[in-house]
Amino acid sequence: MKIIVNQEKCPQNHKCPSIAICPQGAISQKNIYALPIIDHTKCILCGKCMRFCPKGAFEKI
Ligand code: SF4
């Protein structure tokens, strides 16, 4: 199981607000127009990003 960012739901036009709430520092974004990237070696599947993202772009697969 892992967390992915659904590019159909992420508008990719702002700094990802979920970056700041990830307790593992697992989410990064090259610039405000980029799809956030999740480092699966850091992610502990806590689900905070999924609950926090207003677009529901983080999905567990
Ligand atoms: S599930 Fe938790 S640890 Fe993983 S990217 Fe989201 S907020 Fe970070």
Side-chain angles (χ1 to χ4, degrees):
M1 198 176 284
K2 65 179 179 179
I3 304 283
I4 56 106
V5 184
N6 185 332
Q7 58 182 358
E8 306 293 322
K9 293 182 179 172
C10 176
Q12 299 162 68
N13 63 2
H14 58 274
K15 182 176 164 67
C16 173
S18 294
I19 291 173
I21 61 102
C22 175
Q24 295 294 109
I27 308 169
S28 62
Q29 188 183 28
K30 282 190 178 138
N31 60 66
I32 63 166
Y33 301 109
L35 192 71
I37 294 166
I38 298 170
D39 183 338
H40 298 291
T41 66
K42 293 181 180 172
C43 176
I44 56 171
L45 300 170
C46 70
K48 283 187 178 174
C49 55
M50 297 176 67
R51 293 191 292 274
F52 194 74
C53 174
K55 297 291 183 179
F58 289 79
E59 298 174 355
K60 206 176 266 189
I61 62 167

Short mmCIF file of all heavy atoms in Angstrom, two decimals:
data_model
loop_
_atom_site.label_atom_id
_atom_site.label_comp_id
_atom_site.label_asym_id
_atom_site.label_seq_id
_atom_site.Cartn_x
_atom_site.Cartn_y
_atom_site.Cartn_z
N MET A 1 0.84 -1.19 0.00
CA MET A 1 0.00 0.00 0.00
C MET A 1 0.88 1.25 0.00
O MET A 1 1.93 1.27 0.63
CB MET A 1 -0.90 0.00 1.24
CG MET A 1 -2.08 0.93 1.13
SD MET A 1 -3.17 0.78 2.57
CE MET A 1 -3.99 -0.77 2.21
N LYS A 2 0.44 2.28 -0.72
CA LYS A 2 1.19 3.54 -0.72
C LYS A 2 0.27 4.71 -1.02
O LYS A 2 -0.85 4.52 -1.50
CB LYS A 2 2.35 3.49 -1.73
CG LYS A 2 1.91 3.39 -3.17
CD LYS A 2 3.12 3.37 -4.09
CE LYS A 2 2.66 3.23 -5.55
NZ LYS A 2 3.78 3.23 -6.50
N ILE A 3 0.78 5.91 -0.74
CA ILE A 3 0.03 7.14 -1.00
C ILE A 3 0.52 7.71 -2.33
O ILE A 3 1.73 7.79 -2.57
CB ILE A 3 0.28 8.18 0.10
CG1 ILE A 3 -0.08 7.64 1.49
CG2 ILE A 3 -0.49 9.47 -0.19
CD1 ILE A 3 -1.53 7.59 1.82
N ILE A 4 -0.43 8.10 -3.15
CA ILE A 4 -0.06 8.77 -4.40
C ILE A 4 -0.83 10.09 -4.49
O ILE A 4 -1.80 10.30 -3.78
CB ILE A 4 -0.35 7.89 -5.65
CG1 ILE A 4 -1.82 7.45 -5.70
CG2 ILE A 4 0.54 6.65 -5.65
CD1 ILE A 4 -2.64 8.17 -6.71
N VAL A 5 -0.37 10.99 -5.36
CA VAL A 5 -1.11 12.22 -5.61
C VAL A 5 -1.77 12.08 -6.98
O VAL A 5 -1.09 11.87 -7.99
CB VAL A 5 -0.18 13.46 -5.59
CG1 VAL A 5 -1.01 14.73 -5.75
CG2 VAL A 5 0.62 13.51 -4.30
N ASN A 6 -3.08 12.17 -6.98
CA ASN A 6 -3.85 12.03 -8.22
C ASN A 6 -3.74 13.33 -9.02
O ASN A 6 -4.24 14.37 -8.60
CB ASN A 6 -5.31 11.73 -7.86
CG ASN A 6 -6.16 11.46 -9.09
OD1 ASN A 6 -5.87 11.95 -10.18
ND2 ASN A 6 -7.20 10.69 -8.91
N GLN A 7 -3.09 13.27 -10.16
CA GLN A 7 -2.88 14.50 -10.94
C GLN A 7 -4.16 15.03 -11.58
O GLN A 7 -4.21 16.18 -12.02
CB GLN A 7 -1.77 14.32 -11.98
CG GLN A 7 -1.99 13.22 -12.97
CD GLN A 7 -0.82 13.07 -13.92
OE1 GLN A 7 0.16 13.83 -13.87
NE2 GLN A 7 -0.89 12.11 -14.81
N GLU A 8 -5.20 14.21 -11.59
CA GLU A 8 -6.50 14.70 -12.09
C GLU A 8 -7.18 15.58 -11.04
O GLU A 8 -8.00 16.42 -11.38
CB GLU A 8 -7.43 13.51 -12.40
CG GLU A 8 -6.86 12.47 -13.33
CD GLU A 8 -6.64 13.00 -14.74
OE1 GLU A 8 -7.48 13.79 -15.20
OE2 GLU A 8 -5.63 12.64 -15.36
N LYS A 9 -6.84 15.37 -9.76
CA LYS A 9 -7.48 16.14 -8.68
C LYS A 9 -6.62 17.29 -8.20
O LYS A 9 -7.14 18.30 -7.73
CB LYS A 9 -7.81 15.21 -7.51
CG LYS A 9 -8.88 14.18 -7.85
CD LYS A 9 -9.20 13.31 -6.64
CE LYS A 9 -10.28 12.29 -6.98
NZ LYS A 9 -10.47 11.31 -5.88
N CYS A 10 -5.31 17.15 -8.27
CA CYS A 10 -4.41 18.22 -7.81
C CYS A 10 -4.34 19.32 -8.87
O CYS A 10 -3.99 19.07 -10.01
CB CYS A 10 -3.01 17.65 -7.58
SG CYS A 10 -1.79 18.91 -7.14
N PRO A 11 -4.69 20.57 -8.49
CA PRO A 11 -4.70 21.65 -9.49
C PRO A 11 -3.30 22.11 -9.92
O PRO A 11 -3.14 22.74 -10.95
CB PRO A 11 -5.46 22.78 -8.79
CG PRO A 11 -5.44 22.46 -7.35
CD PRO A 11 -5.23 20.98 -7.21
N GLN A 12 -2.28 21.74 -9.13
CA GLN A 12 -0.89 22.07 -9.49
C GLN A 12 -0.70 23.55 -9.82
O GLN A 12 -0.12 23.90 -10.84
CB GLN A 12 -0.43 21.19 -10.67
CG GLN A 12 -0.46 19.70 -10.34
CD GLN A 12 -0.44 18.82 -11.57
OE1 GLN A 12 0.56 18.77 -12.28
NE2 GLN A 12 -1.54 18.13 -11.84
N ASN A 13 -1.26 24.39 -8.94
CA ASN A 13 -1.12 25.83 -9.17
C ASN A 13 -0.87 26.60 -7.88
O ASN A 13 -1.12 27.80 -7.82
CB ASN A 13 -2.36 26.37 -9.90
CG ASN A 13 -3.63 26.24 -9.07
OD1 ASN A 13 -3.59 25.76 -7.94
ND2 ASN A 13 -4.74 26.64 -9.64
N HIS A 14 -0.42 25.89 -6.85
CA HIS A 14 -0.12 26.54 -5.58
C HIS A 14 0.83 25.66 -4.78
O HIS A 14 1.00 24.49 -5.10
CB HIS A 14 -1.40 26.77 -4.77
CG HIS A 14 -2.17 25.50 -4.49
ND1 HIS A 14 -3.08 24.97 -5.38
CD2 HIS A 14 -2.12 24.66 -3.44
CE1 HIS A 14 -3.58 23.85 -4.87
NE2 HIS A 14 -3.01 23.63 -3.69
N LYS A 15 1.41 26.26 -3.73
CA LYS A 15 2.26 25.46 -2.85
C LYS A 15 1.36 24.45 -2.14
O LYS A 15 0.33 24.81 -1.57
CB LYS A 15 2.94 26.37 -1.83
CG LYS A 15 3.88 25.65 -0.89
CD LYS A 15 4.58 26.66 0.01
CE LYS A 15 5.21 26.02 1.22
NZ LYS A 15 6.32 25.14 0.96
N CYS A 16 1.76 23.19 -2.17
CA CYS A 16 0.94 22.12 -1.58
C CYS A 16 0.86 22.32 -0.06
O CYS A 16 1.87 22.26 0.64
CB CYS A 16 1.55 20.77 -1.90
SG CYS A 16 0.73 19.40 -1.04
N PRO A 17 -0.37 22.54 0.48
CA PRO A 17 -0.50 22.76 1.92
C PRO A 17 -0.21 21.52 2.75
O PRO A 17 0.11 21.62 3.93
CB PRO A 17 -1.96 23.20 2.08
CG PRO A 17 -2.66 22.71 0.87
CD PRO A 17 -1.65 22.65 -0.23
N SER A 18 -0.28 20.36 2.16
CA SER A 18 -0.04 19.12 2.90
C SER A 18 1.44 18.92 3.23
O SER A 18 1.76 18.13 4.12
CB SER A 18 -0.57 17.92 2.12
OG SER A 18 -1.98 17.98 2.03
N ILE A 19 2.32 19.63 2.54
CA ILE A 19 3.76 19.49 2.82
C ILE A 19 4.04 19.80 4.28
O ILE A 19 4.76 19.07 4.95
CB ILE A 19 4.58 20.44 1.91
CG1 ILE A 19 4.52 19.96 0.46
CG2 ILE A 19 6.05 20.52 2.39
CD1 ILE A 19 5.15 20.90 -0.54
N ALA A 20 3.41 20.86 4.78
CA ALA A 20 3.68 21.31 6.15
C ALA A 20 3.10 20.40 7.22
O ALA A 20 3.57 20.42 8.36
CB ALA A 20 3.16 22.73 6.34
N ILE A 21 2.09 19.62 6.88
CA ILE A 21 1.46 18.79 7.93
C ILE A 21 1.98 17.35 7.96
O ILE A 21 1.66 16.60 8.87
CB ILE A 21 -0.09 18.81 7.83
CG1 ILE A 21 -0.57 18.25 6.50
CG2 ILE A 21 -0.64 20.22 8.00
CD1 ILE A 21 -1.07 16.85 6.59
N CYS A 22 2.78 16.99 6.97
CA CYS A 22 3.33 15.62 6.97
C CYS A 22 4.37 15.49 8.09
O CYS A 22 5.36 16.21 8.10
CB CYS A 22 3.98 15.31 5.63
SG CYS A 22 4.81 13.70 5.62
N PRO A 23 4.13 14.59 9.05
CA PRO A 23 5.04 14.45 10.19
C PRO A 23 6.39 13.85 9.80
O PRO A 23 7.34 13.92 10.58
CB PRO A 23 4.28 13.51 11.13
CG PRO A 23 3.39 12.72 10.23
CD PRO A 23 3.00 13.65 9.12
N GLN A 24 6.46 13.29 8.60
CA GLN A 24 7.69 12.63 8.17
C GLN A 24 8.52 13.46 7.18
O GLN A 24 9.60 13.03 6.77
CB GLN A 24 7.34 11.30 7.49
CG GLN A 24 6.71 10.28 8.40
CD GLN A 24 7.68 9.82 9.46
OE1 GLN A 24 7.53 10.15 10.64
NE2 GLN A 24 8.69 9.09 9.04
N GLY A 25 7.99 14.61 6.78
CA GLY A 25 8.68 15.39 5.75
C GLY A 25 8.79 14.61 4.45
O GLY A 25 9.78 14.73 3.72
N ALA A 26 7.77 13.81 4.18
CA ALA A 26 7.82 12.91 3.02
C ALA A 26 7.31 13.53 1.73
O ALA A 26 7.48 12.95 0.66
CB ALA A 26 7.02 11.65 3.33
N ILE A 27 6.69 14.71 1.85
CA ILE A 27 6.10 15.33 0.65
C ILE A 27 6.98 16.50 0.20
O ILE A 27 7.35 17.35 1.00
CB ILE A 27 4.68 15.85 0.94
CG1 ILE A 27 3.82 14.74 1.55
CG2 ILE A 27 4.03 16.40 -0.32
CD1 ILE A 27 2.48 15.22 2.10
N SER A 28 7.29 16.51 -1.08
CA SER A 28 8.05 17.63 -1.62
C SER A 28 7.42 18.06 -2.94
O SER A 28 6.59 17.35 -3.51
CB SER A 28 9.51 17.24 -1.84
OG SER A 28 9.60 16.19 -2.78
N GLN A 29 7.82 19.23 -3.38
CA GLN A 29 7.25 19.80 -4.60
C GLN A 29 8.33 20.67 -5.24
O GLN A 29 8.90 21.54 -4.58
CB GLN A 29 6.03 20.63 -4.22
CG GLN A 29 5.19 21.13 -5.36
CD GLN A 29 4.03 22.00 -4.88
OE1 GLN A 29 4.11 22.65 -3.84
NE2 GLN A 29 2.96 22.03 -5.64
N LYS A 30 8.65 20.42 -6.48
CA LYS A 30 9.74 21.15 -7.15
C LYS A 30 9.45 22.64 -7.24
O LYS A 30 10.32 23.47 -7.06
CB LYS A 30 9.97 20.58 -8.55
CG LYS A 30 10.75 19.28 -8.52
CD LYS A 30 11.19 18.86 -9.91
CE LYS A 30 12.00 17.56 -9.82
NZ LYS A 30 11.66 16.62 -10.87
N ASN A 31 8.20 22.97 -7.55
CA ASN A 31 7.77 24.37 -7.59
C ASN A 31 6.25 24.36 -7.46
O ASN A 31 5.64 23.29 -7.43
CB ASN A 31 8.23 25.07 -8.88
CG ASN A 31 7.68 24.39 -10.12
OD1 ASN A 31 6.47 24.38 -10.35
ND2 ASN A 31 8.54 23.79 -10.93
N ILE A 32 5.65 25.54 -7.35
CA ILE A 32 4.21 25.58 -7.06
C ILE A 32 3.34 25.04 -8.20
O ILE A 32 2.16 24.80 -8.01
CB ILE A 32 3.73 26.99 -6.68
CG1 ILE A 32 3.91 27.98 -7.83
CG2 ILE A 32 4.46 27.48 -5.42
CD1 ILE A 32 3.17 29.29 -7.62
N TYR A 33 3.94 24.84 -9.36
CA TYR A 33 3.18 24.29 -10.48
C TYR A 33 3.47 22.81 -10.72
O TYR A 33 3.08 22.27 -11.76
CB TYR A 33 3.47 25.10 -11.76
CG TYR A 33 3.13 26.56 -11.60
CD1 TYR A 33 4.14 27.53 -11.52
CD2 TYR A 33 1.80 26.97 -11.50
CE1 TYR A 33 3.82 28.87 -11.34
CE2 TYR A 33 1.47 28.31 -11.32
CZ TYR A 33 2.49 29.25 -11.25
OH TYR A 33 2.17 30.57 -11.07
N ALA A 34 4.15 22.21 -9.75
CA ALA A 34 4.51 20.80 -9.91
C ALA A 34 3.62 19.92 -9.04
O ALA A 34 3.13 20.34 -7.99
CB ALA A 34 5.97 20.60 -9.54
N LEU A 35 3.43 18.70 -9.49
CA LEU A 35 2.69 17.71 -8.70
C LEU A 35 3.56 17.31 -7.50
O LEU A 35 4.75 17.01 -7.68
CB LEU A 35 2.41 16.49 -9.56
CG LEU A 35 1.42 15.45 -9.02
CD1 LEU A 35 0.00 16.01 -9.05
CD2 LEU A 35 1.51 14.18 -9.85
N PRO A 36 3.01 17.36 -6.28
CA PRO A 36 3.80 16.95 -5.12
C PRO A 36 4.29 15.51 -5.26
O PRO A 36 3.61 14.66 -5.83
CB PRO A 36 2.82 17.09 -3.95
CG PRO A 36 1.78 18.04 -4.44
CD PRO A 36 1.68 17.82 -5.92
N ILE A 37 5.47 15.27 -4.73
CA ILE A 37 6.07 13.94 -4.79
C ILE A 37 6.15 13.38 -3.38
O ILE A 37 6.48 14.09 -2.44
CB ILE A 37 7.51 14.05 -5.38
CG1 ILE A 37 7.44 14.51 -6.83
CG2 ILE A 37 8.24 12.72 -5.27
CD1 ILE A 37 8.76 14.97 -7.39
N ILE A 38 5.83 12.11 -3.24
CA ILE A 38 5.90 11.46 -1.93
C ILE A 38 7.08 10.51 -1.89
O ILE A 38 7.23 9.65 -2.77
CB ILE A 38 4.60 10.71 -1.61
CG1 ILE A 38 3.44 11.70 -1.57
CG2 ILE A 38 4.71 9.96 -0.28
CD1 ILE A 38 2.09 11.09 -1.50
N ASP A 39 7.91 10.69 -0.88
CA ASP A 39 9.05 9.79 -0.67
C ASP A 39 8.52 8.58 0.11
O ASP A 39 8.25 8.66 1.30
CB ASP A 39 10.14 10.51 0.12
CG ASP A 39 11.37 9.65 0.30
OD1 ASP A 39 11.26 8.41 0.20
OD2 ASP A 39 12.44 10.21 0.56
N HIS A 40 8.38 7.47 -0.58
CA HIS A 40 7.78 6.28 0.04
C HIS A 40 8.70 5.63 1.06
O HIS A 40 8.26 4.78 1.83
CB HIS A 40 7.35 5.30 -1.04
CG HIS A 40 6.30 5.86 -1.96
ND1 HIS A 40 5.01 6.13 -1.54
CD2 HIS A 40 6.36 6.26 -3.25
CE1 HIS A 40 4.33 6.65 -2.56
NE2 HIS A 40 5.13 6.74 -3.60
N THR A 41 9.96 6.03 1.09
CA THR A 41 10.86 5.50 2.11
C THR A 41 10.64 6.23 3.44
O THR A 41 11.02 5.73 4.49
CB THR A 41 12.34 5.63 1.70
OG1 THR A 41 12.70 7.01 1.64
CG2 THR A 41 12.60 4.97 0.36
N LYS A 42 10.03 7.42 3.38
CA LYS A 42 9.74 8.20 4.60
C LYS A 42 8.29 8.06 5.05
O LYS A 42 7.99 8.16 6.24
CB LYS A 42 10.06 9.68 4.37
CG LYS A 42 11.53 9.99 4.16
CD LYS A 42 11.70 11.48 3.97
CE LYS A 42 13.16 11.87 3.75
NZ LYS A 42 13.27 13.29 3.37
N CYS A 43 7.38 7.90 4.12
CA CYS A 43 5.94 7.87 4.43
C CYS A 43 5.59 6.69 5.34
O CYS A 43 6.01 5.56 5.09
CB CYS A 43 5.16 7.78 3.12
SG CYS A 43 3.38 7.61 3.36
N ILE A 44 4.81 6.99 6.39
CA ILE A 44 4.37 5.95 7.33
C ILE A 44 2.87 5.66 7.18
O ILE A 44 2.27 5.04 8.05
CB ILE A 44 4.70 6.36 8.79
CG1 ILE A 44 4.07 7.73 9.12
CG2 ILE A 44 6.21 6.38 9.02
CD1 ILE A 44 4.14 8.12 10.59
N LEU A 45 2.28 6.16 6.09
CA LEU A 45 0.86 5.90 5.77
C LEU A 45 -0.09 6.40 6.86
O LEU A 45 -1.11 5.76 7.14
CB LEU A 45 0.64 4.40 5.51
CG LEU A 45 1.44 3.79 4.36
CD1 LEU A 45 1.31 2.27 4.38
CD2 LEU A 45 1.00 4.33 3.02
N CYS A 46 0.25 7.53 7.49
CA CYS A 46 -0.59 8.03 8.58
C CYS A 46 -1.90 8.61 8.07
O CYS A 46 -2.88 8.70 8.81
CB CYS A 46 0.16 9.09 9.38
SG CYS A 46 0.42 10.63 8.49
N GLY A 47 -1.94 9.03 6.81
CA GLY A 47 -3.18 9.53 6.21
C GLY A 47 -3.47 11.00 6.45
O GLY A 47 -4.52 11.50 6.02
N LYS A 48 -2.57 11.71 7.14
CA LYS A 48 -2.84 13.14 7.42
C LYS A 48 -2.98 13.94 6.13
O LYS A 48 -3.84 14.82 6.03
CB LYS A 48 -1.72 13.73 8.28
CG LYS A 48 -1.82 13.33 9.74
CD LYS A 48 -0.81 14.07 10.57
CE LYS A 48 -0.97 13.69 12.04
NZ LYS A 48 0.07 14.27 12.89
N CYS A 49 -2.13 13.67 5.17
CA CYS A 49 -2.19 14.42 3.91
C CYS A 49 -3.52 14.17 3.20
O CYS A 49 -4.10 15.08 2.62
CB CYS A 49 -1.02 14.05 3.00
SG CYS A 49 -0.87 12.28 2.67
N MET A 50 -4.03 12.95 3.30
CA MET A 50 -5.30 12.62 2.66
C MET A 50 -6.44 13.40 3.30
O MET A 50 -7.33 13.91 2.60
CB MET A 50 -5.59 11.12 2.81
CG MET A 50 -4.57 10.23 2.15
SD MET A 50 -4.92 8.49 2.46
CE MET A 50 -6.44 8.27 1.56
N ARG A 51 -6.41 13.52 4.62
CA ARG A 51 -7.47 14.24 5.32
C ARG A 51 -7.34 15.75 5.13
O ARG A 51 -8.33 16.48 5.14
CB ARG A 51 -7.46 13.90 6.81
CG ARG A 51 -7.82 12.45 7.10
CD ARG A 51 -8.07 12.21 8.57
NE ARG A 51 -6.85 12.33 9.36
CZ ARG A 51 -5.99 11.34 9.56
NH1 ARG A 51 -6.20 10.16 9.02
NH2 ARG A 51 -4.91 11.53 10.28
N PHE A 52 -6.10 16.24 4.98
CA PHE A 52 -5.86 17.68 4.94
C PHE A 52 -6.09 18.29 3.56
O PHE A 52 -6.57 19.42 3.46
CB PHE A 52 -4.42 17.94 5.39
CG PHE A 52 -4.13 19.37 5.73
CD1 PHE A 52 -4.61 19.93 6.90
CD2 PHE A 52 -3.37 20.16 4.88
CE1 PHE A 52 -4.35 21.26 7.21
CE2 PHE A 52 -3.10 21.48 5.18
CZ PHE A 52 -3.58 22.02 6.35
N CYS A 53 -5.74 17.59 2.52
CA CYS A 53 -5.83 18.15 1.16
C CYS A 53 -7.28 18.49 0.82
O CYS A 53 -8.14 17.62 0.80
CB CYS A 53 -5.28 17.16 0.13
SG CYS A 53 -5.51 17.72 -1.58
N PRO A 54 -7.57 19.78 0.55
CA PRO A 54 -8.95 20.19 0.25
C PRO A 54 -9.47 19.61 -1.06
O PRO A 54 -10.69 19.56 -1.29
CB PRO A 54 -8.87 21.72 0.20
CG PRO A 54 -7.45 22.04 -0.04
CD PRO A 54 -6.63 20.92 0.54
N LYS A 55 -8.58 19.17 -1.91
CA LYS A 55 -9.00 18.60 -3.20
C LYS A 55 -9.11 17.08 -3.16
O LYS A 55 -9.51 16.45 -4.14
CB LYS A 55 -7.98 18.99 -4.29
CG LYS A 55 -7.87 20.47 -4.54
CD LYS A 55 -9.12 21.01 -5.19
CE LYS A 55 -8.99 22.48 -5.51
NZ LYS A 55 -10.20 23.01 -6.17
N GLY A 56 -8.73 16.49 -2.04
CA GLY A 56 -8.78 15.04 -1.95
C GLY A 56 -7.85 14.36 -2.94
O GLY A 56 -8.14 13.28 -3.46
N ALA A 57 -6.72 15.03 -3.20
CA ALA A 57 -5.82 14.53 -4.25
C ALA A 57 -4.90 13.41 -3.79
O ALA A 57 -4.33 12.70 -4.62
CB ALA A 57 -4.98 15.69 -4.80
N PHE A 58 -4.75 13.27 -2.46
CA PHE A 58 -3.90 12.19 -1.95
C PHE A 58 -4.74 10.94 -1.82
O PHE A 58 -5.81 10.96 -1.21
CB PHE A 58 -3.31 12.58 -0.59
CG PHE A 58 -2.25 13.65 -0.69
CD1 PHE A 58 -2.62 14.98 -0.83
CD2 PHE A 58 -0.89 13.33 -0.65
CE1 PHE A 58 -1.66 15.99 -0.94
CE2 PHE A 58 0.07 14.32 -0.74
CZ PHE A 58 -0.31 15.66 -0.88
N GLU A 59 -4.27 9.87 -2.38
CA GLU A 59 -5.03 8.63 -2.36
C GLU A 59 -4.14 7.47 -1.94
O GLU A 59 -2.97 7.42 -2.28
CB GLU A 59 -5.60 8.35 -3.76
CG GLU A 59 -6.56 9.42 -4.23
CD GLU A 59 -7.02 9.23 -5.66
OE1 GLU A 59 -6.52 8.32 -6.35
OE2 GLU A 59 -7.88 10.01 -6.09
N LYS A 60 -4.75 6.56 -1.20
CA LYS A 60 -4.04 5.35 -0.79
C LYS A 60 -4.34 4.27 -1.82
O LYS A 60 -5.51 4.00 -2.11
CB LYS A 60 -4.53 4.93 0.60
CG LYS A 60 -3.54 4.13 1.42
CD LYS A 60 -4.08 3.84 2.81
CE LYS A 60 -3.62 4.88 3.83
NZ LYS A 60 -3.95 4.48 5.21
N ILE A 61 -3.30 3.68 -2.39
CA ILE A 61 -3.53 2.61 -3.38
C ILE A 61 -2.81 1.35 -2.97
O ILE A 61 -1.93 1.39 -2.13
CB ILE A 61 -3.11 3.03 -4.81
CG1 ILE A 61 -1.60 3.32 -4.87
CG2 ILE A 61 -3.91 4.21 -5.28
CD1 ILE A 61 -1.07 3.43 -6.26
S1 SF4 B 1 0.49 9.49 4.77
FE1 SF4 B 1 1.42 10.69 6.47
S2 SF4 B 1 3.61 10.27 6.32
FE2 SF4 B 1 2.72 9.65 4.38
S3 SF4 B 1 2.94 11.45 3.01
FE3 SF4 B 1 0.90 11.57 3.99
S4 SF4 B 1 1.17 12.85 5.82
FE4 SF4 B 1 3.23 12.15 5.15
#
